[in-house]
Amino acid sequence: MSMITVKTPREIELMRVAGRITAAARSVGREMVSPGVTTHEIDREIHKFIKKSGAVPSFLGYGGFPGSACISVNEEVIHGIPGPRTVNEGDIVSIDVGAYIGGYHGDCCGTFGAGEISEEDIKLIEVTRQSFFEGIKYAKVGCRISDISHAIQEYVESFGYSLVREYVGHGIGRNLHEAPEVPNYGDPGHGPRLVKGMTIAIEPMVIMGKRDVLVLDNDWTVVTVDGSKAAHYENTVLITDGEPEILTMAEDL
Ligand code: MG
C-alpha cells in the first residue's frame, strides 16, 4: 500500500463532501431493503443517487467490480455482486458504498434487515455497529492503529461472535484504499501512531459463527464457511485534535 497521507484542511473539506454523499447513498440502500427486492434493484438506486449528486461510484469498475455497491446477503460477508438474488423476509443485507467527488473518496457500510428479522440477527447487527464505536474511542492522536483493532475484537468476541481477519479497514483519501491497514483484531500498542489529519475507514466484519471465510467462484463474494450470518459496519473517520469526526455519519445510522 501507499504511504500514510495526512490531509490538509482543504482536503478535509473535500472529504466531508464525499463523506456526506456516501452516507446518503447508504441510506438510499437501506430504504430499498425489503422482501422481494433484488440486489440489482438496490444497486441501481444507489448508482442513480450517487450520479445525481455529481459523484462517481467508487466501487464501479474497481478491480473490475461490476456494481456501484457491494450488497451481501446473510452468509455473504463482503463484496456481494448486485444481481438477480431476491431479498427475502428475515434476510440481513449489508450495503457497502463508496462515492468519489472532488478528487476524494468516502466509504461506508451498514447491515439492514428485510421485514421482520430474528432477535439473534438484530443482536448481531447491533453488536457489529457498536464495535465500530468501541473502536473509535481509540481513534485519537497518540493512540496506535491496533488500539482500535483490539477494542473491536474485545467487544465482538465477548458476545461469542468472530471477526474476519483476511479483510481489513484502511486509510482513504485520493485513493479508495490507502495505508495504513486497520485490522479488526490484534494486541494493542502496535502499528502506526495516529496523527491529526489522517483519514481511515474502520469496518468490523462480524460472523455469528466461526471466522473462516471463502471466496465464491465469481472471484468476489466472500462467504462464511459454516454458513452462519455476517454483518458489516463501516464509516470513514477523520483524526482530529479531539474527538474523531465521522465523515460518513447519517443521524440514524
Ligand atoms: Mg472500506
Side-chain angles (χ1 to χ4, degrees):
M1 272 208 262
S2 49
M3 276 176 35
I4 296 175
T5 58
V6 173
K7 277 73 178 178
T8 65
R10 168 71 183 148
E11 289 181 292
I12 288 165
E13 205 39 61
L14 292 167
M15 288 199 68
R16 287 194 181 105
V17 174
R20 274 195 292 271
I21 293 169
T22 310
R26 175 178 53 186
S27 296
V28 167
R30 182 192 58 169
E31 291 302 313
M32 291 287 294
V33 172
S34 58
V37 74
T38 67
T39 57
H40 166 72
E41 287 167 336
I42 299 171
D43 184 65
R44 191 180 58 203
E45 291 307 310
I46 289 171
H47 180 89
K48 273 199 264 181
F49 176 83
I50 292 172
K51 298 291 283 188
K52 196 182 71 188
S53 304
V56 173
S58 302
F59 300 172
L60 186 60
Y62 186 89
F65 190 77
S68 293
C70 295
I71 303 179
S72 309
V73 183
N74 293 340
E75 79 289 350
E76 297 175 348
V77 187
I78 50 169
H79 301 168
I81 297 177
R85 182 171 182 165
T86 300
V87 173
N88 294 312
E89 176 92 21
D91 284 350
I92 61 171
V93 182
S94 297
I95 297 181
D96 194 350
V97 292
Y100 177 76
I101 185 169
Y104 292 85
H105 292 274
D107 188 2
C108 69
C109 181
T111 301
F112 311 108
E116 289 283 314
I117 65 172
S118 70
E119 287 297 324
E120 63 173 1
D121 290 349
I122 291 171
K123 185 175 163 198
L124 174 70
I125 290 170
E126 184 47 38
V127 168
T128 303
R129 180 180 180 279
Q130 185 57 35
S131 74
F132 165 87
F133 290 95
E134 297 299 321
I136 64 165
K137 290 177 181 172
Y138 299 89
K140 289 185 174 167
V141 170
C143 291
R144 289 176 180 265
I145 285 289
S146 86
D147 298 337
I148 298 170
S149 313
H150 183 71
I152 291 170
Q153 182 181 19
E154 285 277 287
Y155 185 76
V156 166
E157 291 183 351
S158 75
F159 291 89
Y161 302 144
S162 52
L163 282 151
V164 174
R165 300 194 177 195
E166 291 84 349
Y167 302 90
V168 296
H170 50 91
I172 179 169
R174 284 197 166 277
N175 300 294
L176 181 60
H177 296 114
E178 298 184 353
E181 292 193 343
V182 185
N184 296 303
Y185 67 96
D187 295 327
H190 296 282
R193 247 178 233 289
L194 298 171
V195 300
K196 181 185 171 187
M198 280 175 65
T199 44
I200 53 177
I202 300 172
E203 50 173 323
M205 293 155 252
V206 178
I207 297 175
M208 200 178 280
K210 293 198 171 74
R211 70 175 172 84
D212 308 81
V213 294
L214 58 86
V215 181
L216 295 183
D217 285 342
N218 65 22
D219 287 338
W220 277 107
T221 310
V222 176
V223 299
T224 61
V225 170
D226 66 9
S228 67
K229 287 182 178 172
H232 185 192
Y233 187 77
E234 174 182 27
N235 282 304
T236 298
V237 176
L238 168 69
I239 308 301
T240 76
D241 279 336
E243 294 300 313
E245 180 180 334
I246 301 174
L247 300 178
T248 49
M249 203 61 207
E251 282 162 35
D252 50 347
L253 292 170

